[in-house]
Amino acid sequence: MDINVLNKRMHKLLTVAIMMVMVILIMAFVFINHADNSLNKATYTTMNQEMDLCAQRISAQKDADLTLLKVLSKELIYDSDVDTLLMRMKEENDFTSILYIDINNNMHVSSGDMHITYNDLSKDLKNEISKGFSGKNSTSIQMNKNRLIVTYTVPVYGNSNHIMGVLCANGSLTPYSLLLKKSINGGNLYITNLKDFYGIQKDEDSNDVLAVLKHVDISEKINGLIGVNGDEHGIVVKSMGIHGWYICYVNSAKSLNNPIYMMSRATNFVLVVFVLVVILLFYIAYRIMEKNHKEMENIAYTDRLTEAVSTIRFMELVKTYDGNNHQYSLVALNMRRFKFMNEILGRKKSDEILRRIVACIKPMLKKDEIICRDSADVFYILLTDTKEIEISNRINAMFDEIRKNTKDFQYEYEFCCGVISNVTDEEKYSYEQMLTNVMFALAQSKEMSSGNICFFDEEVHKKKEFENFVESNMQQALDSERFEMVLQPKIDLNTNKVFAAEALVRWKLDNGTYLSPSSFVGIFEKNRFCSKLDFYMLRKAFTQIREWIDMGIEPVNISVNQSKIVFYHENYISELKALLNEYQVSAKYITLEVLESTVIEDIQMFNQILSEVKKLGFSVSLDDFGSGYSSLNVLSQLHIDELKIDRIFLHTNSEMENKKTKWILESIISFAKKSHILVVVEGVESSEDDVFIRELKADIGQGYFYGRPLSICAFSDLICAK
């Protein structure tokens, strides 16, 4: 062989070897760099997940405290002694102080010995109070004596649904600190207003970290790296959901992902040592993995049926969009009776309709707008519009285009559609909240007529949430006797002594606060749970009368409300007999109160049941007479023992109305007395009301003027004192 030829071959082989070594080294460098980037990405992903958990827990704590304060605010409507009530609220809850400002800027504080005026308040607190008077709930963090406090502010609504004041409560930052510590794994965590940093969790290098942070220009939702003692640390800043305050989280990859960190370094070392041996196999494997990754990404990120974006990809894109603080709207839509479409047209044609829906909507989307198919006929759309009229017009145009392109199927269908907008100058929702709220709006749309677009309403959502809370907890509350009976005195107007009492219900929550009947009785009537509650209250009344007798106290008659469902129940009479036998109490101590709506539907049936009830010895009272369609003619057909005149007769708007009311009441009372029916006037709230009903010669008065509803113990003391 020619030496020159051999040299050429050797040179070629050497050149190839050198090139392979260079390629291997370059690939090794790329791989190591890629590994470092992946580690950083894993670090940011972990930190963001932990920060998301922090934000969720902070939001939950804040919402819980605001909800508690809103519940407390309702008590101000019914209690005239505001200072005492505020002190009790502070004692029964975890707030450090509670402040009430009425519409005239009069101040009431939970500390009885503290006297401050509106002008004494800080500018920031005045701003929060102004939000309350505009009907907004707010949460803020303020500095007080070198420590941070959380201030909650809610409007207080009167009976006429007008704002009568603002309730403020200060709380410690400790609950938030504990939640934040539970949510992160090591590192340094601060609460900051982007100027000063207040440590929540500190590692050994906290002083060095803080020194670096003070010289870094950080902003909300930053993801970046800072150098601390020659080591790279990740930094994530996210809003607390409280105006002007953020959570700043700093941690190193080595500390946060130590197993991944050590594995990365070990892999790099092994790669350098064995790179010349395994480079070809690694390259082939890398190519195969890259190909598989692309295929898996295509499967994961694209809906195979319609070629719309998959739910996973849609979530990522929306979170990125939301992270850039853009305004956008989320639309959820599906088709009515899609299951029947599958049965009538068959799976193949139904799938074709779904494909055409996406094909029609895609060209109508603007830049950065996305359509996603979640499952079956459920679609999500991200729109950059936020005005309702623009969104409605665009969605209706989409519906028209879809119908025009599916006429060949000869099948009539309608869409349900829910919409929620995330606007930067209003309260922002997280992606998870947006998704939950838009599905709520979609559910509301299904309850409406066909083709309607339902925009998310926060107040309706809160009302549904409260109804769900009531219905989810009512049976447990009944089983654990969370419903408490209170007694409101009924006064004999001739002797001015306690004649009887009306049993009223209060729902005591786990946190010690109470729900008033007006907030849950209507829900119970709608879901028929009132039948259980009525018998529960009746049993409570029997129990109390039995206790009075056993204690040697002369019982007073207790009136117990009975709903229409209970009164007309087929086992009603047998249930009453069972209670009499069980407690061995005379029925004369119990008055059964029924609303006029119970009577008016079927007077004959009512009288039949009434006759059976009276045979057992019970008295029967007609409650809220005059609030509906009652008349003297109806009253003449009833064999009741007591007539309760509704409070509306006591609150007239003019002197002429007052005269007419007096004439009407004189006729009613005169007729009742001639029929030997006891007349009770409820809702007596002032001395003028008292004088008025005495002039009419009513028998019994009931209302706040004579006494508020009392606990069993307080009422027992009252009747013993008489």
Side-chain angles (χ1 to χ4, degrees), residues 280-394:
L280 187 58
L281 295 175
F282 178 79
Y283 177 75
I284 296 172
Y286 177 78
R287 295 293 296 176
I288 293 173
M289 289 175 62
E290 187 177 41
K291 181 180 179 182
N292 290 340
H293 175 74
K294 289 182 179 179
E295 291 178 354
M296 291 177 64
E297 185 180 82
N298 186 56
I299 293 172
Y301 285 174
T302 306
D303 177 55
R304 300 180 70 181
L305 175 65
T306 63
E307 295 187 358
V309 171
S310 69
T311 307
I312 297 174
R313 184 58 174 166
F314 184 78
M315 184 183 302
E316 292 179 356
L317 293 173
V318 174
K319 283 186 175 180
T320 302
Y321 201 86
D322 186 64
N324 293 329
N325 217 26
H326 293 307
Q327 297 184 3
Y328 68 96
S329 297
L330 198 59
V331 179
L333 63 91
N334 67 0
M335 303 171 70
R336 295 181 185 270
R337 301 177 297 277
F338 183 70
K339 290 183 179 179
F340 294 104
M341 179 188 294
N342 268 321
E343 294 178 6
I344 295 171
L345 297 180
R347 179 68 178 271
K348 186 175 180 180
K349 288 188 176 180
S350 297
D351 287 348
E352 178 59 28
I353 289 180
L354 296 178
R355 281 191 287 269
R356 292 195 191 182
I357 288 174
V358 175
C360 290
I361 292 177
K362 269 188 174 181
M364 303 178 75
L365 298 178
K366 300 176 182 177
K367 182 183 178 182
D368 296 329
E369 294 183 336
I370 319 160
I371 180 171
C372 155
R373 176 174 175 257
D374 183 32
S375 61
D377 61 325
V378 178
F379 295 89
Y380 297 120
I381 307 174
L382 182 145
L383 299 179
T384 54
D385 295 312
T386 56
K387 294 182 179 179
E388 289 191 8
I389 185 64
E390 294 175 356
I391 295 171
S392 297
N393 290 338
R394 291 193 63 191

Side-chain angles (χ1 to χ4, degrees), residues 553-565:
I553 301 174
E554 176 63 28
V556 298
N557 182 280
I558 298 179
S559 301
V560 184
N561 289 294
Q562 302 288 277
S563 62
K564 186 192 306 181
I565 299 172

Side-chain angles (χ1 to χ4, degrees), residues 258-276:
N258 189 57
I260 300 176
Y261 179 87
M262 298 303 296
M263 184 181 297
S264 174
R265 294 299 176 260
T267 301
N268 292 344
F269 176 76
V270 172
L271 179 64
V272 171
V273 174
F274 296 101
V275 66
L276 296 177

Side-chain angles (χ1 to χ4, degrees), residues 83-332:
D83 292 332
T84 302
L85 179 59
L86 292 179
M87 292 177 67
R88 179 171 63 81
M89 287 179 180
K90 178 179 176 294
E91 293 172 356
E92 294 177 353
N93 299 281
D94 293 330
F95 297 121
T96 56
S97 64
I98 302 179
L99 174 69
Y100 173 64
I101 308 97
D102 65 21
I103 197 70
N104 297 316
N105 287 340
N106 295 318
M107 310 285 292
H108 300 270
V109 295
S110 57
S111 300
D113 56 348
M114 182 183 294
H115 299 284
I116 59 175
T117 66
Y118 183 79
N119 292 331
D120 295 331
L121 302 179
S122 66
K123 181 179 179 182
D124 291 339
L125 184 53
K126 288 180 180 178
N127 290 337
E128 298 303 312
I129 292 171
S130 297
K131 293 178 184 177
F133 277 115
S134 65
K136 296 180 179 178
N137 306 319
S138 65
T139 306
S140 63
I141 297 178
Q142 303 185 30
M143 176 65 71
N144 183 18
K145 297 180 179 179
N146 295 325
R147 67 186 184 92
L148 296 178
I149 60 172
V150 184
T151 300
Y152 307 92
T153 307
V154 299
V156 179
Y157 293 92
N159 290 327
S160 58
N161 208 28
H162 291 297
I163 295 176
M164 57 183 280
V166 173
L167 189 63
C168 298
N170 290 331
S172 169
L173 202 63
T174 301
Y176 292 88
S177 299
L178 295 175
L179 289 175
L180 292 174
K181 288 181 179 179
K182 292 178 181 178
S183 305
I184 68 169
N185 180 26
N188 298 276
L189 186 66
Y190 304 90
I191 289 180
T192 178
N193 56 5
L194 303 184
K195 295 179 181 178
D196 298 312
F197 296 82
Y198 304 90
I200 298 299
Q201 175 167 305
K202 300 179 181 179
D203 280 352
E204 294 179 357
D205 57 353
S206 61
N207 292 333
D208 297 326
V209 169
L210 189 58
V212 173
L213 284 177
K214 289 182 178 179
H215 295 87
V216 175
D217 183 18
I218 64 173
S219 60
E220 181 183 359
K221 294 189 178 179
I222 184 175
N223 285 342
L225 290 172
I226 59 173
V228 180
N229 296 329
D231 192 12
E232 288 187 335
H233 284 59
I235 175 173
V236 176
V237 177
K238 288 195 176 182
S239 173
M240 289 180 66
I242 300 175
H243 179 68
W245 288 90
Y246 306 87
I247 316 168
C248 179
Y249 182 29
V250 180
N251 207 348
S252 65
K254 184 176 181 180
S255 173
L256 189 64
N257 296 300
N258 189 57
I260 300 176
Y261 179 87
M262 298 303 296
M263 184 181 297
S264 174
R265 294 299 176 260
T267 301
N268 292 344
F269 176 76
V270 172
L271 179 64
V272 171
V273 174
F274 296 101
V275 66
L276 296 177
V277 179
V278 299
I279 185 61
L280 187 58
L281 295 175
F282 178 79
Y283 177 75
I284 296 172
Y286 177 78
R287 295 293 296 176
I288 293 173
M289 289 175 62
E290 187 177 41
K291 181 180 179 182
N292 290 340
H293 175 74
K294 289 182 179 179
E295 291 178 354
M296 291 177 64
E297 185 180 82
N298 186 56
I299 293 172
Y301 285 174
T302 306
D303 177 55
R304 300 180 70 181
L305 175 65
T306 63
E307 295 187 358
V309 171
S310 69
T311 307
I312 297 174
R313 184 58 174 166
F314 184 78
M315 184 183 302
E316 292 179 356
L317 293 173
V318 174
K319 283 186 175 180
T320 302
Y321 201 86
D322 186 64
N324 293 329
N325 217 26
H326 293 307
Q327 297 184 3
Y328 68 96
S329 297
L330 198 59
V331 179

Side-chain angles (χ1 to χ4, degrees), residues 367-623:
K367 182 183 178 182
D368 296 329
E369 294 183 336
I370 319 160
I371 180 171
C372 155
R373 176 174 175 257
D374 183 32
S375 61
D377 61 325
V378 178
F379 295 89
Y380 297 120
I381 307 174
L382 182 145
L383 299 179
T384 54
D385 295 312
T386 56
K387 294 182 179 179
E388 289 191 8
I389 185 64
E390 294 175 356
I391 295 171
S392 297
N393 290 338
R394 291 193 63 191
I395 293 174
N396 284 321
M398 292 176 186
F399 290 166
D400 291 340
E401 184 67 19
I402 293 168
R403 292 190 187 96
K404 184 173 69 174
N405 284 276
T406 54
K407 286 182 178 179
D408 55 309
F409 288 94
Q410 297 180 348
Y411 183 87
E412 293 293 330
Y413 57 85
E414 292 291 343
F415 287 99
C416 305
C417 184
V419 183
I420 183 171
S421 298
N422 215 356
V423 184
T424 54
D425 58 352
E426 299 177 3
E427 180 181 358
K428 283 185 69 65
Y429 301 104
S430 66
Y431 172 77
E432 290 77 12
Q433 290 173 323
M434 289 281 284
L435 195 60
T436 300
N437 292 343
V438 80
M439 292 306 292
F440 174 80
L442 179 63
Q444 292 292 107
S445 174
K446 292 179 180 179
E447 297 175 5
M448 301 164 67
S449 59
S450 297
N452 278 342
I453 301 170
C454 183
F455 288 84
F456 175 75
D457 189 314
E458 184 69 39
E459 292 303 317
V460 174
H461 186 237
K462 289 178 180 178
K463 182 179 177 182
K464 288 289 185 181
E465 278 187 329
F466 180 75
E467 287 183 6
N468 182 63
F469 168 80
V470 169
E471 293 184 340
S472 299
N473 291 275
M474 60 188 183
Q475 186 61 53
Q476 182 182 356
L478 190 72
D479 295 339
S480 57
E481 297 192 4
R482 287 287 184 178
F483 294 105
E484 295 183 0
M485 182 177 74
V486 294
L487 299 174
Q488 185 171 31
K490 298 164 73 173
I491 304 300
D492 188 327
L493 297 178
N494 293 318
T495 64
N496 293 324
K497 293 182 179 180
V498 177
F499 172 78
E502 180 178 0
L504 302 172
V505 64
R506 298 291 186 269
W507 184 349
K508 186 176 182 180
L509 301 178
D510 292 337
N511 60 12
T513 60
Y514 287 85
L515 289 180
S516 63
S518 60
S519 66
F520 60 81
V521 168
I523 300 173
F524 288 174
E525 289 176 349
K526 187 165 59 176
N527 63 23
R528 304 178 72 86
F529 186 75
C530 58
S531 60
K532 293 184 179 181
L533 183 61
D534 286 351
F535 275 118
Y536 171 89
M537 292 296 291
L538 195 56
R539 183 174 289 276
K540 283 280 187 183
F542 270 98
T543 301
Q544 188 54 49
I545 291 170
R546 182 72 262 169
E547 287 183 6
W548 282 335
I549 294 173
D550 293 341
M551 294 168 61
I553 301 174
E554 176 63 28
V556 298
N557 182 280
I558 298 179
S559 301
V560 184
N561 289 294
Q562 302 288 277
S563 62
K564 186 192 306 181
I565 299 172
V566 172
F567 198 79
Y568 287 122
H569 195 276
E570 58 183 359
N571 295 326
Y572 185 58
I573 301 301
S574 61
E575 293 280 357
L576 293 178
K577 289 179 180 178
L579 288 172
L580 291 172
N581 292 332
E582 179 181 351
Y583 289 93
Q584 292 297 302
V585 169
S586 173
K588 70 178 182 179
Y589 293 119
I590 299 291
T591 295
L592 304 174
E593 287 193 7
V594 294
L595 295 172
E596 64 171 352
S597 59
T598 305
V599 179
I600 203 72
E601 290 185 1
D602 192 336
I603 295 177
Q604 184 178 357
M605 175 64 75
F606 176 80
N607 278 331
Q608 289 177 5
I609 301 173
L610 182 63
S611 176
E612 295 295 321
V613 169
K614 291 175 71 66
K615 285 179 183 179
L616 298 177
F618 292 97
S619 299
V620 177
S621 174
L622 183 61
D623 194 11

